[in-house]
Amino acid sequence: MIIADKIKDSIDRASWIRKMFEEGARLCKQYGAENIYDFTLGNPTVEPPARFYQELQNLANHPDPGMHRYMNNAGYAETRRAVAGKISRTAPTPLEEDHVIMTCGAGGALNVTLKTVLNPGDEVIILAPFFVEYCFYIENHGGTPVQVWTNRETFQLDIAAIEAAITPQTRAIIINSPNNPTGVIYPESSLQQLGELLTKTRDKSGQRILVISDEPYARISYDGVTVPNIFNSIDDAVIVTSHSKDLALPGERIGYLAANPVMADVDLFIDGATFANRTLGFVNAPALSQRLVANLQDESVDIDAYQLKRDLLYEELSGLGFKMVKPSGAFYLFPRSPLEDDVEFVKRAQHHHLLLVPGSGFGAPGFFRIAYCIDLSIIERSLPAWRNLARDLGM
Ligand code: PLP
């Protein structure tokens, strides 16, 4: 076999997801894409903000000599300064540019961070429901994912469950707020409790556990709820994030990691992560993208438009009897599956031309995910299909 057993095993395990997408593609071909309501992808259909195009124009009209060359593997100082300044506004200790590394998206930042901290056999706690790529990213670097459920009613942190999962091998914990797939935001009080748990662990055995806070949806929050700065609650913490969602630039692969300046061995961590950014073959984040986002740290896509979509779907589906937590952020809903078997439910939804992702794809069987980062008109047109689905299931 030409490919490694590990990769073969991973693609086999994910084959049911591929089959589901293939079925979606088949339905689009048979009935026309306009008659299929695709809620499967977290790939925003909104365009980037107007300021993004101004920056693009400006760069094209005033190119700097050397702007396409290699650079410091951590990225342009100017961009890192802009990011450090933005985070410092809500951080207890200001960040300098040296605490920031520009990366190829949040996915790049996660891989760089994990490569930097994991020894073979180290465990990384992930919280179900979770972004499934975490498992692959952890395994990329010789680590073992350890799944711990959040509270099944609220999807908030279950500190006792996290404590029970900590072993001498635990190296890191990944948290994601606002969350994909639940849309939940962890309040400052929960993060404080997590911080206290990690301090207790450190004081007892000397074991330091790094919190990797994955925050690509941090600017997408509703009802005046804001995402607390993790550095207020936890010293040994790294923010990993991107502009894939807040500026709708997922194809441009631009993100960063930022380390808490008070973290133990922070300079060593940054040196290691800069090395990992280079040797994973990223070398540096795309030069053009770095220049573009430097001046867009306070910009985002239209959040009110997302809130409108959340409200519409939440009200309509709750009215039909679907049970779900009302999300405070991101652009997903994660209702309970009306059928015990969530994969079976998603197949039933396909009969009504609704494409959804089963909770099993997020380590959470018994639920399903709706990604509402699609045009409002598609959501509106999908409502009769939701009603038919509910009727079909006797809801
Ligand atoms: N983390 C979460 C929770 C995500 O939902 C995603 C993308 O959907 C990523 C990370 C990866 O983002 P990026 O495109 O910036 O690599």
Side-chain angles (χ1 to χ4, degrees):
M1 195 165 55
I2 192 76
I3 68 167
D5 298 345
K6 195 171 141 187
I7 296 290
K8 176 78 173 58
D9 179 52
S10 297
I11 57 179
D12 285 350
R13 272 189 285 149
S15 67
W16 63 274
I17 297 191
R18 199 171 57 235
K19 278 203 205 96
M20 215 186 58
F21 284 118
E22 279 165 9
E23 176 59 9
R26 192 190 66 74
L27 287 171
C28 285
K29 212 161 155 196
Q30 186 175 351
Y31 296 103
E34 66 287 0
N35 298 312
I36 301 297
Y37 313 112
D38 189 350
F39 291 94
T40 57
L41 293 180
N43 191 9
T45 58
V46 293
E47 294 301 328
R51 278 280 312 279
F52 169 81
Y53 292 101
Q54 287 163 13
E55 292 290 325
L56 196 58
Q57 196 97 52
N58 196 30
L59 267 185
N61 291 341
H62 308 283
D64 272 340
M67 66 188 271
H68 304 296
R69 294 184 193 150
Y70 289 127
M71 70 195 74
N72 176 338
N73 299 120
Y76 289 124
E78 187 194 345
T79 310
R80 291 187 290 136
R81 253 195 314 277
V83 168
K86 168 80 179 173
I87 301 173
S88 295
R89 271 186 247 153
T90 51
T93 306
L95 284 80
E96 308 288 336
E97 70 198 48
D98 290 346
H99 299 118
V100 176
I101 299 176
M102 301 308 295
T103 61
C104 293
L110 278 157
N111 273 281
V112 165
T113 302
L114 291 164
K115 183 163 182 73
T116 307
V117 300
L118 293 186
N119 288 311
D122 279 350
E123 294 173 358
V124 180
I125 294 176
I126 56 176
L127 305 176
F130 49 77
F131 177 56
V132 74
E133 303 298 87
Y134 292 156
C135 298
F136 303 117
Y137 294 170
I138 292 163
E139 286 167 5
N140 278 346
H141 308 292
T144 305
V146 174
Q147 303 181 18
V148 175
W149 260 91
T150 51
N151 180 301
R152 284 174 202 257
E153 297 301 320
T154 62
F155 299 129
Q156 289 292 337
L157 297 182
D158 181 342
I159 299 293
I162 295 171
E163 182 167 18
I166 293 176
T167 73
Q169 282 70 48
T170 309
R171 188 68 156 185
I173 170 167
I174 301 179
I175 62 170
N176 168 221
S177 168
N179 187 271
N180 174 11
T182 66
V184 154
I185 293 177
Y186 304 141
E188 183 106 43
S189 56
S190 297
L191 300 175
Q192 291 283 357
Q193 284 173 14
L194 180 61
E196 283 159 21
L197 169 64
L198 300 184
T199 305
K200 194 171 82 178
T201 308
R202 190 189 62 201
D203 291 348
K204 209 161 70 185
S205 63
Q207 181 181 4
R208 298 196 99 102
I209 298 174
L210 179 70
V211 172
I212 303 172
S213 183
D214 181 24
E215 308 181 359
Y217 303 92
R219 292 186 208 168
I220 305 177
S221 67
Y222 312 124
D223 309 321
V225 178
T226 52
V227 178
N229 188 320
I230 188 75
F231 297 159
N232 284 312
S233 309
I234 297 171
D235 287 352
D236 290 338
V238 174
I239 294 172
V240 296
T241 187
S242 72
H243 296 297
S244 296
K245 317 291 175 171
D246 57 18
L247 298 178
L249 298 174
E252 302 303 343
R253 311 310 302 138
I254 184 68
Y256 57 85
L257 66 84
N260 192 345
V262 303
M263 178 170 114
D265 301 324
V266 65
D267 294 342
L268 192 58
F269 171 81
I270 289 290
D271 281 355
T274 307
F275 174 80
N277 204 28
R278 181 183 113 213
T279 55
L280 280 171
F282 297 126
V283 182
N284 54 250
L288 273 180
S289 295
Q290 288 193 51
R291 285 178 183 268
L292 290 169
V293 303
N295 294 325
L296 300 177
Q297 289 305 306
D298 289 317
E299 291 289 322
S300 67
V301 294
D302 183 357
I303 308 300
D304 290 345
Y306 277 138
Q307 181 159 337
L308 193 76
K309 293 173 190 179
R310 176 203 64 166
D311 289 344
L312 175 63
L313 272 173
Y314 178 80
E315 295 303 331
E316 288 285 337
L317 298 193
S318 298
L320 292 173
F322 288 95
K323 301 272 176 273
M324 74 205 90
V325 174
K326 189 171 189 181
S328 304
F331 39 58
Y332 307 104
L333 291 165
F334 201 62
R336 275 187 187 279
S337 167
L339 299 179
E340 202 180 323
D341 181 342
D342 51 311
V343 178
E344 193 49 45
F345 166 74
V346 164
K347 284 186 190 149
R348 284 281 277 277
Q350 282 179 344
H351 294 166
H352 298 275
H353 298 185
L354 293 165
L355 307 187
L356 309 165
V357 186
S360 303
F362 304 91
F367 294 86
F368 67 97
R369 190 188 77 170
I370 300 169
Y372 57 83
C373 50
I374 56 176
D375 291 355
L376 181 64
S377 64
I378 301 175
I379 298 176
E380 285 169 342
R381 280 193 287 114
S382 77
L383 296 179
W386 285 104
R387 285 179 209 127
N388 289 338
L389 173 63
R391 200 170 311 123
D392 180 13
L393 295 169
M395 292 172 71

